Amino acid sequence: MVYRNSQSLTFEGFVNDMYASFGMSPIGVTKMYAPRSSANEDKAEAPKVHLGSGVQKEQLHAGSHLEDMTRIYLKHVQRQTKLDQIPNTAIQRGLADQQAMYLRSWCAEVLGRATIEAFFGERLFDLEPDLLQIFHTFDASSWKLLYQYPKPFAKPMFKAMGKIRQAFIRYFELPADQRQPCHYVRTVEEKQRKAGMSNEDIAIAAQTLFWAANANHSKLCFWLVANIVSRPLLLEAVREEIAPAFDSSSLNVHYLVDQCPQLDATFNEVLRLSTGASSARNVDAPTTIGPYTLLPGAKILIPYRQLHYDEEYFGPDVQEFNPARFLENKDLHRSPSFKPFGGGTTHCSGRFLAKRAIVALAATMLHFYDLEMVDKERGVPRLDLTKPTLGVMDAVDGEDFVVQVRARTNVE
């Protein structure tokens, strides 16, 4: 009921607070919504909906727009997983036939660059070449923004946020034909300009999208690869399963998503263990849930991490990494206690694109390279349980996963 009740339980207040935290003007926040009126409904009395309502699904659910974005991700995966093209920020040290890589940085560079091009085109990098590094500085402390930290106590985060905003302001000052944004960004911008929003407010709205699109996928890919590489039997099984996806000249990402149950189970188990997000709703009218009646002004918070450790659904070994649980119970991913992407009206629209991008990068790394842990004694890094998050948790500071990378000789 909580997930789908959009009448008395609403999410817009949290979105508006986020816009305000990023610096959007009050009038800009108001103009992010437009009346949804029918022929028989007075426009002045009609409920208002977000300008991006419906367009997100057009872009990110099955269809030509999703396929266009997928091709951009695959291009970056293919390019930036070649040993001579791996970003310098991910390299620890290099030799003629092998390199030591910071796995977290490698994932972040590949998926971050792909995300920027897929959503906004390549011009954004021309305007701010260090955009990804600036974003990582912001994202590392972005939780402080949600908790409304005063600027003196979050200077690096606010400084990085300001630089990103300026890049987007310059971006939206360019003629539209010089930017090549995706369907969603282009369509929402047209609505924003029609509503009379300022260039700065349009830039801030895009900045929040940029944050949401970049905040989680590289972390999840990192945890996926790290957990597979550290378990030889699992690595062998996944490699055997994904091999047919590389039979043709281009990677068959649909095969990875639809025909690889071991990879899928591991993906779900990593989601179960690493997701620390919550769903939130404002109570706008008296609402009865079970034996309780919630009154207007109250707030509902649903923490997913606690749901993901429910022994009733996931068994007594909930603290352990065990992908087999999703193989033994084919419907476990549909459990009411498994909500890695939220649910109801706030079910993450980007979940399909995110999964394609993550499994494509992970499978490419595992198929073409032997990845050997440099610090075998420490193993997989620990989840950082000390920082709030809106999605996937990061590793404890200083516990990146360094791997020795060697090209496999028996694959093409």
Side-chain angles (χ1 to χ4, degrees), residues 227-228 230-231 234 261-274 308-309 313-329 332 338:
N227 277 285
I228 293 175
S230 62
R231 294 169 171 83
L234 178 59
Q262 183 68 69
L263 178 63
D264 187 62
T266 308
F267 179 84
N268 285 333
E269 180 70 347
V270 169
L271 270 175
R272 185 185 73 83
L273 290 171
S274 64
H308 292 174
Y309 282 74
Y313 291 97
F314 300 105
D317 64 340
V318 290
Q319 300 292 334
E320 305 299 324
F321 178 85
N322 179 17
R325 73 178 86 247
F326 285 95
L327 293 172
E328 295 164 359
N329 182 350
L332 188 57
F338 187 61

Side-chain angles (χ1 to χ4, degrees), residues 3 14 19 31 37 44 73 81 136 142 183 193 232 235 258 265 268 272 294 298 320 325 332-333 362 373 410:
Y3 292 117
F14 294 95
Y19 285 145
K31 288 182 176 181
S37 58
Y73 276 90
T81 52
H136 296 325
S142 58
H183 167 71
R193 296 200 182 280
L235 174 60
D258 300 328
N268 285 333
R272 185 185 73 83
L294 305 180
E320 305 299 324
R325 73 178 86 247
L332 188 57
H333 69 287
M373 290 184 292
N410 57 338

